[in-house]
Amino acid sequence: MTKLIIFGTGIMGDLIAEHFIHQSDWDVVAYTADADYVERDTHNGLPLVSFEDIATKYPPEEVRMFVGMSYGKANANRRSAYQRAKAAGYEFASFISPHARSLQPIVHGDNVFINESTFQPNTVIGNNIIIWSNNVIGHNTSIGDHCFISSGTVISGGVRVGKSCFFGVNSSCRDHIEIAEGSVIGAGTTVLRSTKPHQLLIAPEPTALQLKPGQED
């Protein structure tokens, strides 16, 4: 069992810590966050140490780290934390859910969290990526570093996803297109052609019709 530090004290860090604790052999021993966000000495019953002091109390040669932050500022916050931890000499853990489905071992980088999702053959997952529940990643698809894929996303075969992209819940994209770096795909959006860098795509708002009492059935 290897000791693990979770970088992040928000709900995402808490959820990810729960998966490491209950579904892996990693021993979560502490949390860390930037000093501005450290207002107490513990978090979830474990030590909470500012990132500025973490190397003194938990040296890189003794522990691994997982950056468990969400998609704030189009993944820039998690990307910055990952890069700073790497520069400080930390190696990273990854988590692959025992309920993830793949015919082959999933090829992935470091600081990767993969929840219950399906991966077709020849997919490649980069570094510092969170893939939440019930997603389908098509064959021969590559996911660039620092992406966040919400639940219910379908990415078809042969798609190239650039760095720092975000996919909202129940979004999808057709096969053999490129999702350019920094693209934000809103919830329920279907992407049929390649995107441009740092482009936001959102689905149309649904039409709301007011029912009279008794019409619900």
Side-chain angles (χ1 to χ4, degrees), residues 188-200:
T189 300
T190 298
V191 184
L192 300 177
R193 58 182 61 86
S194 295
T195 67
K196 297 179 181 179
H198 307 286
Q199 198 170 42
L200 168 64

Side-chain angles (χ1 to χ4, degrees), residues 33-39 50-53:
D34 291 322
D36 290 345
Y37 298 95
V38 176
E39 299 178 349
S50 69
F51 181 73
E52 290 79 355
D53 297 326

Side-chain angles (χ1 to χ4, degrees), residues 3 7 11 17 27 108 119 121 136 138 165 168 172 178 189 191 195 197 208:
K3 293 180 180 179
F7 192 151
I11 189 169
D27 180 17
H108 63 86
F119 295 80
V136 177
C165 293
S172 62
E178 181 171 352
T189 300
V191 184
T195 67

Side-chain angles (χ1 to χ4, degrees), residues 8 71 76 94 97 101 125 147 215:
Y71 45 82
S94 286
S97 170
R101 299 183 296 277
I125 310 300
C147 289
Q215 285 186 323

Side-chain angles (χ1 to χ4, degrees), residues 5-99:
I5 307 292
I6 301 294
F7 192 151
T9 56
I11 189 169
M12 184 59 60
D14 291 350
L15 289 171
I16 285 173
E18 288 293 310
H19 283 79
F20 273 111
I21 291 168
H22 295 293
Q23 292 186 312
S24 82
D25 293 329
W26 292 95
D27 180 17
V28 178
V29 296
Y31 289 84
T32 188
D34 291 322
D36 290 345
Y37 298 95
V38 176
E39 299 178 349
R40 55 194 182 278
D41 295 330
T42 62
H43 184 72
N44 293 336
L46 294 173
L48 172 58
V49 182
S50 69
F51 181 73
E52 290 79 355
D53 297 326
I54 196 69
T56 301
K57 297 187 178 182
Y58 297 94
E61 59 270 18
E62 296 181 5
V63 299
R64 296 284 183 93
M65 188 172 290
F66 188 89
V67 180
M69 300 171 68
S70 192
Y71 45 82
K73 295 185 178 179
N75 295 301
N77 292 341
R78 194 173 77 258
R79 180 176 187 168
S80 172
Y82 168 83
Q83 291 173 336
R84 287 185 284 127
K86 191 168 187 175
Y90 285 94
E91 296 184 20
F92 299 93
S94 286
F95 175 87
I96 309 297
S97 170
H99 304 295

Side-chain angles (χ1 to χ4, degrees), residues 101-102 106-107 114-125 129-143 148-150 152-159 161 167 171 173:
R101 299 183 296 277
S102 177
I106 300 171
V107 178
I114 294 176
N115 217 334
E116 310 95 334
S117 293
T118 298
F119 295 80
Q120 295 179 350
N122 304 316
T123 59
V124 177
I125 310 300
I129 290 172
I130 294 178
I131 299 178
W132 214 244
S133 305
N134 300 319
N135 301 293
V136 177
I137 311 299
H139 62 86
N140 301 95
T141 285
S142 62
I143 310 295
F148 191 106
I149 299 177
S150 304
T153 294
V154 177
I155 299 176
S156 299
V159 174
V161 178
F167 288 81
S171 59
C173 59

